[in-house]
Amino acid sequence: MVCEAKTGYICNFRMYCGVGSRLQDTILNLLKPYCNLWHHIYMDNYYNSVATCEILLQNSFRTFGTIRVNRGLPSCLKNPKLAREESIFHRRQNILLQCWQSKRTVRMISTIHSADIAESNNIDWATKQRILKPMCVIDYNKYMKGVDRADQYLSYYSIVRHTKKWTKRAVMFFINCALFNAFRVFKILNPHSKKKYKVFLHDVAKEWISEALPGNTGNPLPRTSTTSSKSDPPGRLSKDPKRHKLVQITTGGTKLKSQRQCRVCAAQKKKFNVLYV
């Protein structure tokens, strides 16, 4: 998934099916619409490697992220013995490989940063001094939040439901992503709005199920008769589902007696009984 760093807006994503192209081909496919624009891409250690950084640099992308030991690190950076807040780096042309010792050893790869150390916003509770960190770590903590923010919002009030067909679950996930993107666009276009994500989803749902038609301000007349009318109401058989109000058939009898032949199916010479008209 490719997300904008600050808002989490989902720019592009691809579903992983367990088989297919190589990881580098998948990354290039996701970033293809943004080639030759010199965007800065922040990735986690699953995607990063020295070979991937070289390929992305050839396609006008500058990258940064954490990296695993077996992804092209030189031997001097695989198991370095460093003191607390000490760092060591190795550079090959535009590619910087750096290790920094915090509570654990953090290995990084970057085509954006230098190996400079700067003060962060974090304060050491023992010394009351600002903690020194490499510039790449400070920027990583600042910008590597887009995908996390998108996943966080997608987990709120998700419309995805359990189903036996994976295609239905995939479509519901697409709709969920579209709703989140719509909310981010709404917040950007309305910076003073205090509407929360839950209220936004509720408003969208009410709009989708609304029975109001353009130019129609009145409510539909209540159904007073339990017998089937000879003529359908306007728009009954139209393709617009908003023009058809479902009314349950009630005859006071059993469930089978409350069913009637579907007129749409009858017109196509098919037999199908329904509980609603």
Side-chain angles (χ1 to χ4, degrees), residues 137 181 202:
V137 173
N181 278 358
H202 192 224

Side-chain angles (χ1 to χ4, degrees), residues 1 3 7-10 13 44 145-158 173 176-177 180 197:
M1 183 178 290
C3 296
T7 63
Y9 181 90
I10 302 173
F13 68 89
D44 60 24
K145 296 179 180 179
V147 175
D148 295 337
R149 183 170 285 108
D151 289 340
Q152 179 184 6
Y153 274 85
L154 291 178
S155 65
Y156 297 156
Y157 324 111
S158 175
F173 176 75
N176 219 24
C177 293
F180 167 70
Y197 187 49

Side-chain angles (χ1 to χ4, degrees), residues 34-103:
Y34 317 105
C35 285
N36 302 318
L37 296 176
W38 290 108
H39 284 301
H40 290 185
I41 309 297
Y42 288 78
M43 302 184 291
D44 60 24
N45 59 19
Y46 178 78
Y47 303 96
N48 261 326
S49 68
V50 175
T52 301
C53 277
E54 291 175 343
I55 294 174
L56 292 178
L57 200 58
Q58 294 172 5
N59 289 271
S60 302
F61 288 105
R62 293 197 176 274
T63 59
F64 172 76
T66 54
I67 185 173
R68 299 180 181 180
V69 176
N70 59 347
R71 295 293 181 87
L73 278 177
S75 57
C76 62
L77 297 181
K78 289 185 177 181
N79 295 296
K81 296 181 179 180
L82 303 175
R84 185 68 180 267
E85 299 185 5
E86 185 181 358
S87 69
I88 184 175
F89 70 93
H90 181 83
R91 178 179 286 278
R92 187 178 69 186
Q93 297 180 354
N94 291 320
I95 299 178
L96 171 70
L97 295 168
Q98 187 173 10
C99 289
W100 177 63
Q101 185 66 36
S102 180
K103 294 181 180 179

Side-chain angles (χ1 to χ4, degrees), residues 116-253:
D116 294 340
I117 305 295
E119 290 185 351
S120 66
N121 293 327
N122 298 333
I123 298 177
D124 191 335
W125 292 104
T127 62
K128 305 300 181 181
Q129 300 293 326
R130 291 187 181 272
I131 299 176
L132 298 177
K133 294 181 179 181
M135 280 298 302
C136 52
V137 173
I138 296 175
D139 284 349
Y140 183 81
N141 294 333
K142 181 179 180 181
Y143 295 118
M144 190 58 186
K145 296 179 180 179
V147 175
D148 295 337
R149 183 170 285 108
D151 289 340
Q152 179 184 6
Y153 274 85
L154 291 178
S155 65
Y156 297 156
Y157 324 111
S158 175
I159 65 173
V160 179
R161 296 294 181 268
H162 292 289
T163 174
K164 294 182 179 180
K165 293 185 177 181
W166 69 268
T167 51
K168 290 184 178 179
R169 187 177 180 88
V171 170
M172 287 188 286
F173 176 75
F174 298 157
I175 297 175
N176 219 24
C177 293
L179 289 171
F180 167 70
N181 278 358
F183 174 71
R184 301 313 306 180
V185 173
F186 171 80
K187 295 295 289 185
I188 292 174
L189 296 179
N190 302 274
H192 301 294
S193 174
K194 296 183 179 180
K195 182 179 292 188
K196 296 183 178 180
Y197 187 49
K198 179 180 179 180
V199 179
F200 177 82
L201 293 179
H202 192 224
D203 291 343
V204 172
K206 288 193 295 184
E207 183 65 25
W208 281 357
I209 64 176
S210 174
E211 296 177 357
L213 296 175
N216 181 15
T217 58
N219 295 324
L221 295 176
R223 188 180 179 89
T224 56
S225 175
T226 59
T227 59
S228 176
S229 60
K230 295 182 179 180
S231 61
D232 287 322
R236 164 66 174 85
L237 304 181
S238 67
K239 295 182 180 180
D240 187 2
K242 294 182 180 180
R243 298 176 63 88
H244 177 210
K245 181 180 180 181
L246 292 178
V247 179
Q248 187 174 11
I249 302 171
T250 55
T251 59

